[in-house]
Every structure is written in C-alpha cells, then in structure tokens.
Amino acid sequence: MSTIKPVNDTYRIAYMPPATEFNYYIAIGAGIEAVAEEKGVEVFMLAPQSGADINGQMGMIQDVLTQEVDAIIFGTHDEFAAAPLLKKAVDKGVAVLMINSDIPNFPTPIHGVVGYSQRNGTHAMADWLIEEHGGEALTIGVIEGQPGYHSTERVGGFLDGIKGQENFNVVTSVDGKWNVEGGNTAGMDILQAHPDINAIFAANDYMIIGASFAAKALGKRELILMGNDGDTSGLEEIVAGNVTATVNTTPFLMGKAAMHATLDAIAGTYPGGWIETPTSIDTSDEALNALKQPEKLFPQPSKEY
C-alpha cells in the first residue's frame, strides 16, 4: 500500500456514500461533519440519489480521483465495481476507508473499515424473536435489499439465527430495493400471496416501514415487523407502534468513529483493520430512550420525546 500524503494544514476529505436517498448515510455524514468541524477539516459529500445507480457512483469516484483530496470515506453496494477505482486512490496516496460494513477482505487493500457486524446484528434480532416468540408458530416473510454484501449478510444472519426453530417457517424472500416504496411493494406482495404470515424481517428500516404501510392497508394489525439500522424514522415508527423492533446501529456515532480513523490514517498512525461499532435490539422502550437523546440522531426526531 502506498505511503499516505504528508500532513497538511487543512485536510480535504470526500465522503462518498452509495446514495443520498437514505437518511442513514446522511446520519453517518452528520457524525463525520461533527468531527470535521471540531478538527478544522474540509469535508464534502458526493453521491448519486439512488442506491441502485452503481454507474453513477463509480463516475463520481473517478471525478474525485482528478481532485486534490487527502482521503475518501466511502460506502458502496458493489464493492467489486468500486475496487479498481479505489486502488487508484490508494496508489495516489489517498487514505481510503469504508463505512457501514465489516468486509474482512475488501477486493483491494484499503486503509480501514468502520462499521458493525452485519451478520451478528441480525442474528441478535433472531435471538430476540426466539426469546420473545419462540413458543409460537410463526410464518415469516423476508424482505431483502438489492443483491450484494449487505443484503446477503443481514438476511443470512437472521436466517442463521432462527435455523432449527421448527415452529418458525420462512415462506418467501423478496427484494425491497432498500427503500420505503420497495418495502411497501414487497410487503403488499408478500401479505397478499401469504395471508397467514405473522412476522416480517426486512434488511433495513426503510423497507420495514414500507411493509408496515402495506400491513395497515390490508388491515393486518398483529404482525411482528423487524428492521435494521436505527434510523430516526424507524425509531419513531417503533414508538408509534407501527414497527416492532430494529437493530439499532447508531449511524451518527459510526460517522464520528469513521472520521477519527480517517484522520489517523492520513497522519499515518492508524494501524488498519476493522473498527466495530455498537448495536442493540431496540423495541419501544429502547427506541424511546434513543429519541430522548436527539444529539445522537440525524435527522432530528419529528417532535420532542
């Protein structure tokens, strides 16, 4: 791996999440910005609107490679498409860190990874489901994200966790495209095709919120609806009683950890590897407690709790 650039008076860092449509990545960005402001560092964000626009993100990475930047903090839905471009960045002496992941071996050497254990997080959700509803017969639907590492790990962790639970029956798994609209469509399809379903797990909060809209439209009031992320909107939907639980992955704190690691990488003091950020299973009480600490959330809750 090439030597990092020497220390400058002011660092310039590109934050490049996979899309601006997800408040989750905006929350990570808010954590990055909080540290940047404290340290006097310039950060700019560049991302396509849609998480499905892989070509758009790759074009933006190419553009950033023509600029003077000291570091790139990135998240992507296609690590194999991004790898050759990020190799060029590393070869130029740019510090490269990935956020919201736990990929142990990125396709090309980068300086670090900051995020939570995707598979362990959703395995914990399965453990919660067994603890709370293990004595019940559950017919379960799954809403995946777009194909890729994040969806594979999150769905895989949940399915691994309920394996061997003979009274749990997973009957379908549908792509919800990571967003509320996709989750609504997937939820409607699942519930109409399998009216006996009484639990749905989705790989992020947006999709389970969408599924909750479908459930409400179909008059399904007693469903167990499980998400993943800890988005402000997801936490509010839990407190409102529309969603049951989420894996809270504290994106604002993840952003702060990523920025600290990036500054260390630029300075040549970060040893590399994975920084694991915390998770918890949040139902109504935990979600309410999180909403009472708005300084750790982005966007801010819709009201004071």
Side-chain angles (χ1 to χ4, degrees):
M1 190 179 296
S2 296
T3 305
I4 299 300
K5 290 181 177 181
V7 174
N8 324 7
D9 290 336
T10 303
Y11 296 142
R12 188 166 186 260
I13 297 171
Y15 171 48
M16 306 193 72
T20 58
E21 69 177 322
F22 305 123
N23 276 337
Y24 187 86
Y25 284 104
I26 307 303
I28 291 174
I32 290 170
E33 286 281 359
V35 176
E37 184 175 348
E38 175 190 332
K39 300 293 186 181
V41 174
E42 179 188 349
V43 175
F44 67 94
M45 186 175 80
L46 194 60
Q49 191 278 328
S50 170
D53 187 5
I54 303 300
N55 289 338
Q57 189 187 34
M58 296 311 109
M60 290 175 181
I61 295 174
Q62 287 177 318
D63 288 345
V64 165
L65 290 176
T66 68
Q67 303 179 33
E68 289 298 319
V69 297
D70 297 287
I72 296 172
I73 304 172
F74 80 98
T76 185
H77 290 160
D78 192 335
E79 61 272 16
F80 293 101
L85 297 172
L86 295 171
K87 181 180 186 302
K88 290 181 181 179
V90 170
D91 290 346
K92 286 181 62 176
V94 175
V96 176
L97 281 90
M98 180 161 57
I99 44 87
N100 190 33
S101 190
D102 60 342
I103 294 177
N105 296 299
F106 193 71
T108 190
I110 57 177
H111 295 93
V113 178
V114 179
Y116 67 98
S117 173
Q118 310 269 325
R119 186 170 286 262
N120 288 349
T122 51
H123 195 294
M125 178 61 81
D127 294 340
W128 171 84
L129 185 64
I130 291 169
E131 182 178 345
E132 296 294 323
H133 300 279
E136 304 170 26
L138 295 184
T139 302
I140 302 170
V142 171
I143 303 179
E144 310 164 9
Q146 288 168 277
Y149 180 84
H150 290 85
S151 182
T152 298
E153 290 299 288
R154 293 177 194 181
V155 172
F158 178 76
L159 295 179
D160 283 350
I162 63 171
K163 192 176 294 181
Q165 195 73 16
E166 294 182 359
N167 53 327
F168 288 5
N169 182 27
V170 178
V171 293
T172 188
S173 190
V174 177
D175 181 358
K177 305 187 185 307
W178 292 122
N179 55 39
V180 173
E181 182 181 358
N184 188 16
T185 300
M188 191 68 73
D189 291 346
I190 286 171
L191 292 171
Q192 288 181 325
H194 304 275
D196 57 335
I197 276 180
N198 44 21
I200 297 177
F201 165 77
N204 78 354
D205 284 344
Y206 302 115
M207 295 189 293
I208 204 62
I209 290 170
S212 76
F213 296 160
K216 185 175 182 179
L218 294 172
K220 302 275 189 178
R221 302 290 182 184
E222 303 300 322
L223 295 177
I224 303 164
L225 299 177
M226 298 162 284
N228 183 92
D229 275 345
D231 283 294
T232 303
S233 55
L235 296 172
E236 291 198 291
E237 290 296 320
I238 290 171
V239 170
N242 300 321
V243 173
T244 312
T246 189
V247 184
N248 188 348
T249 66
T250 58
F252 180 77
L253 298 181
M254 186 189 297
K256 293 183 73 172
M259 190 57 166
H260 284 298
T262 300
L263 294 175
D264 288 345
I266 295 171
T269 60
Y270 180 59
W274 175 43
I275 293 177
E276 183 172 4
T277 54
T279 63
S280 61
I281 302 301
D282 285 12
T283 56
S284 56
D285 288 346
E286 296 85 3
L288 179 59
N289 185 54
L291 291 167
K292 288 179 177 179
Q293 303 175 70
E295 69 278 4
K296 296 181 180 178
L297 297 173
F298 187 92
Q300 294 294 287
S302 62
K303 63 182 182 180
E304 186 174 338
Y305 287 87

